[in-house]
Amino acid sequence: MSQHGTLFGVVLGAAIVGATLIVRDAMEDPQTAEAVRAKVKGGYEKMKSKVGEGYSFVRDKVQDGYTAAREKASEAGESIRSAVENAPAVQKIKKKVKDIHRAAEPAEVYFAEAEEAEEARKGENDAETVVEIEAGIREPQDE
């Protein structure tokens, strides 16, 4: 360590000791102690007020940023959704699905008959009855 560093350390130590002694003397004197306490309390209240204002300012800015980001994301989502729904490939797929649904509608009758036969199978153990119901020779009986 150089001589300047050592000298700086000695000066800094002396300043800390001197400040500590001054504060101790001030706190032991009743008149000075009250004034110091009032000044410290005033400084604390001032800083507390400044921190509260800063916190409120930051909170409002963050909320504004969040709202703006949410609006932008919503707009982008709508734009993307619209572009996808109006894409020629998607329109082609939707048309094919509708055509498949339209072609499958007449088959619903057969599915209903299969469900009736399945219920008859559950309700009766006679294999001949089940076969007759599936063949349309016999009607299922309500229990």
Side-chain angles (χ1 to χ4, degrees):
M1 188 185 239
S2 72
Q3 290 178 344
H4 295 290
T6 305
L7 183 60
F8 177 74
V10 170
V11 170
L12 182 61
I16 291 172
V17 170
T20 304
L21 290 174
I22 291 172
V23 169
R24 189 177 133 238
D25 288 342
M27 294 307 284
E28 288 177 353
D29 181 23
Q31 293 175 345
T32 310
E34 189 58 40
V36 169
R37 283 190 191 104
K39 189 166 185 160
V40 168
K41 186 175 181 181
Y44 169 77
E45 292 297 327
K46 186 176 180 181
M47 288 305 294
K48 183 178 169 185
S49 171
K50 293 286 184 184
V51 168
E53 290 172 8
Y55 172 77
S56 178
F57 177 77
V58 169
R59 187 185 67 213
D60 291 345
K61 287 294 183 184
V62 168
Q63 184 64 33
D64 293 346
Y66 172 75
T67 302
R70 187 175 51 189
E71 288 173 0
K72 291 287 184 184
S74 177
E75 291 171 5
E78 288 296 323
S79 171
I80 292 168
R81 186 177 301 115
S82 175
V84 169
E85 287 179 358
N86 295 326
V90 173
Q91 293 299 321
K92 201 174 198 180
I93 292 170
K94 283 183 178 181
K95 185 179 183 315
K96 285 192 180 206
V97 169
K98 283 183 184 177
D99 291 345
I100 291 169
H101 281 270
R102 197 172 302 120
E105 285 175 359
E108 289 177 359
V109 175
Y110 299 110
F111 290 122
E113 289 176 4
E115 287 175 6
E116 290 174 3
E118 182 65 30
E119 287 190 22
R121 220 180 271 129
K122 289 178 185 174
E124 302 175 13
N125 292 329
D126 185 9
E128 283 182 28
T129 306
V130 173
V131 171
E132 289 174 357
I133 290 172
E134 287 180 351
I137 298 171
R138 188 170 180 186
E139 290 293 320
Q141 297 178 357
D142 294 330
E143 293 181 16

